[in-house]
Amino acid sequence: MRRLGTGIGWRPEIADAVERMPGIDWVEAVAENVCPGHLPDSLLRLRERGVTVIPHGVSLGLGDAERPDAGRLAALAERAEALGSPLVTEHIAFVRAGGLLTASARLEAGHLLPVPRTRDALDVLCENVRIAQDALPVPLAVENIAALIAWPGEEMTEGQFLYELADRTGVRLLIDVANLHTNHVNRGEDPVKALAELPLEAIAYVHVAGGFERDGVWHDSHAHPVPRLVLDILTDLASRVSPPGVLLERDENFPEPAELERELGTIRAAVEAGEREGALARASSTTGEHDTTKTGTGIGTKAATGTGTTTATATATGDGSVPATSEPAPTALDEATRQRLGLAQAALLSALVAGTPVPEGFDRVRLGVQARALAAKRADVVAKVAPELPLILGSGYRTAFIAYAQGHPMHGGYRQDALDFAEETLLGGRLTEGRARRELRRWWLDRSGPAPRPKSRLGQVGRVGRTLIRR
């Protein structure tokens, strides 16, 4: 596997600072925020200096019950080629549900949701990963995600699930140690046990990020400093295998550049400590003086709820991927498997974003936390893609959007979500006549096309008004 070194997530807000930071070997850019024909000047300058740029997708939905969308795959491939990237990355998550597969309304989560660790979900995920691999010009790596909720009836631990995924598809793994910590707090899963079960040779690189705990729930915010417990997991991982690359993620609440540089230094130190520990353990084991087997008592005390331990060892190939096994070639997936998964995902997502009943077996309180987190995430992203809305609505924007989100599931992406929110705010009478209403109406009309949309009640009102004026 290609050595990447130490990197940081490239974001427009810190682009200038990243260019000036010493010791940055590579960066990762959110794929959906990069236009291949108009790459940001900052990324172009970094590439000219020999800094590797990797596109990191967030909307492909490899864990969806449906097959990956060909258009999204083509867009991801285009970005990899435009950036000259050695690989692309995505998430082990589902992001949309419903539609033709389940004969129900198509819904978008607006964020990453966990797939159930079941045989059905694994079979679907493996086929989706193979479809993506065939469509991409470079290798694919997939990331474990942070979860606020757990599916009932899961059949595997996270380590077992990831091991089988890598073993069956040869896909590489992007291991987020902050997400291992999140799942320890939120789901009682032991990160040490997860690391022990992973195919370490399949690791492409590692993510590190900060978060915060509130009311016993860990929120993977990417807006806070990396805590010591996350660094300890990173050290543990580095004691087992030297990670090809480690990257700091920061998406909000950016500190001064000097603080980011200090965090990067702390991350390097954590990796070096792990590598020293691993070298010492291996040296001691050759003389029989040291037992290198790790248990779940080093980092966390909550036991994982798995059904067993994977004991096979993967051997790395020349390019760092997991080699093919002697198992027969994969057969076409039974469509009924996709439908079963699709129905389960649609029921969960509908409960989260449309207020339908909570599916049996889920924790109602925790689903409420997840639903509020999804609404808050939508509000934050809409504020980024349509920054005029918070300016127009002022301090009332966030409250108004979250109230809107609770009764209006997202169907067509964030930009459409922004337009729908503006229209609903105008039609719902939430704004009295005044400057804010005039500016919001003008903003909506400017972005709804040369003519109002045919089915829009707001457009009908506008047309009637113009007709009266002409009379």
Side-chain angles (χ1 to χ4, degrees):
M1 177 63 205
R2 174 173 174 173
R3 305 298 298 183
L4 293 169
T6 303
I8 190 169
W10 182 91
R11 304 292 184 266
E13 296 91 335
I14 56 171
D16 292 341
V18 169
E19 284 190 67
R20 295 192 296 268
M21 285 182 187
I24 295 297
D25 303 306
W26 63 292
V27 298
E28 181 189 77
V30 176
E32 289 80 357
N33 294 345
V34 175
C35 180
H38 304 279
L39 294 176
D41 291 340
S42 173
L43 284 181
L44 291 174
R45 287 191 292 268
L46 287 169
R47 284 185 60 214
E48 290 170 359
R49 285 167 35 191
V51 175
T52 299
V53 182
I54 294 178
H56 185 54
V58 297
S59 64
L60 186 56
L62 288 171
D64 292 356
E66 291 188 342
R67 291 170 178 82
D69 178 74
R72 293 181 187 275
L73 282 171
L76 192 55
E78 189 178 9
R79 283 151 179 77
E81 291 177 332
L83 293 167
S85 307
L87 76 160
V88 296
T89 58
E90 250 289 352
H91 297 83
I92 302 170
F94 86 94
V95 298
R96 58 189 67 86
L100 292 177
L101 185 65
T102 58
S104 60
R106 189 160 182 80
L107 299 173
E108 299 252 355
H111 197 43
L112 308 167
L113 292 174
V115 299
R117 296 175 197 151
T118 61
R119 289 291 163 188
D120 276 0
L122 181 61
D123 289 344
V124 170
L125 178 61
C126 285
E127 185 170 89
N128 287 352
V129 164
R130 293 188 193 103
I131 292 169
Q133 288 171 318
D134 290 343
L136 294 170
V138 294
L140 170 69
V142 291
E143 178 182 356
N144 59 304
I145 71 163
L148 290 172
I149 58 177
W151 284 82
E154 291 192 313
E155 301 164 355
M156 287 169 273
T157 65
E158 181 161 41
Q160 293 163 353
F161 193 81
L162 294 175
Y163 186 98
E164 285 214 30
L165 173 64
D167 191 49
R168 289 170 57 177
T169 65
V171 73
R172 298 171 183 179
L173 299 178
L174 192 181
I175 297 301
D176 191 316
V177 293
N179 291 348
L180 292 179
H181 173 67
T182 300
N183 294 344
H184 165 62
V185 177
N186 295 347
R187 298 176 51 152
E189 298 174 351
D190 188 349
V192 175
K193 181 177 175 63
L195 292 177
E197 293 174 338
L198 288 177
L200 300 177
E201 298 84 355
I203 294 178
Y205 61 88
V206 176
H207 271 175
V208 184
F212 65 94
E213 187 170 353
R214 178 187 296 153
D215 298 329
V217 176
W218 186 267
H219 297 267
D220 182 45
S221 67
H222 294 192
H224 296 79
V226 179
R228 171 47 57 185
L229 287 170
V230 171
L231 293 170
D232 288 344
I233 300 173
L234 176 62
T235 296
D236 188 358
L237 185 150
S239 74
R240 300 166 186 268
V241 64
S242 179
V246 180
L247 181 129
L248 171 64
E249 288 188 294
R250 189 72 176 245
D251 296 334
E252 303 280 354
N253 191 27
F254 297 102
E256 291 298 318
E259 179 58 31
L260 288 175
E261 291 176 24
R262 280 193 292 272
E263 257 197 312
L264 286 166
T266 302
I267 289 169
R268 290 188 188 96
V271 172
E272 291 167 359
E275 290 174 341
R276 287 194 302 270
E277 180 184 326
L280 178 61
R282 287 186 290 273
S284 299
S285 67
T286 61
T287 62
E289 296 174 359
H290 186 77
D291 181 4
T292 60
T293 302
K294 298 204 177 202
T295 65
T297 59
I299 294 174
T301 58
K302 297 182 182 179
T305 56
T307 58
T309 303
T310 301
T311 57
T313 301
T315 303
T317 60
D319 65 357
S321 62
V322 176
T325 68
S326 58
E327 294 180 2
T331 57
L333 185 66
D334 181 1
E335 202 65 18
T337 303
R338 287 188 178 275
Q339 190 172 50
R340 285 194 300 271
L341 179 64
L343 289 169
Q345 290 180 339
L348 173 60
L349 186 53
S350 181
L352 289 171
V353 303
T356 56
V358 173
E360 185 177 355
F362 282 95
D363 184 320
R364 293 175 179 272
V365 174
R366 190 57 64 85
L367 249 66
V369 174
Q370 179 69 82
R372 291 190 292 274
L374 289 177
K377 180 70 174 180
R378 278 175 68 184
D380 291 341
V381 178
V382 165
K384 286 186 176 182
V385 302
E388 301 87 356
L389 292 179
L391 293 176
I392 293 171
L393 298 176
S395 60
Y397 161 76
R398 188 174 181 84
T399 300
F401 188 93
I402 291 177
Y404 154 82
Q406 290 172 348
H408 298 82
M410 186 166 67
H411 297 285
Y414 283 111
R415 287 179 174 79
Q416 186 61 49
D417 206 22
L419 287 169
D420 292 344
F421 164 65
E423 180 177 355
E424 181 62 27
T425 300
L426 291 165
L427 290 173
R430 295 184 179 89
L431 282 180
T432 58
E433 289 297 334
R435 181 189 60 80
R437 182 176 178 84
R438 290 193 300 272
E439 290 185 4
L440 185 62
R441 183 176 184 276
R442 186 181 305 115
W443 180 91
W444 184 87
L445 289 172
D446 287 347
R447 288 157 180 79
S448 296
R453 294 171 290 178
K455 296 183 180 180
S456 166
R457 289 180 290 145
L458 183 64
Q460 293 168 2
V461 170
R463 284 196 294 275
V464 171
R466 287 192 291 273
T467 299
L468 292 173
I469 292 173
R470 284 197 294 270
R471 288 179 183 173

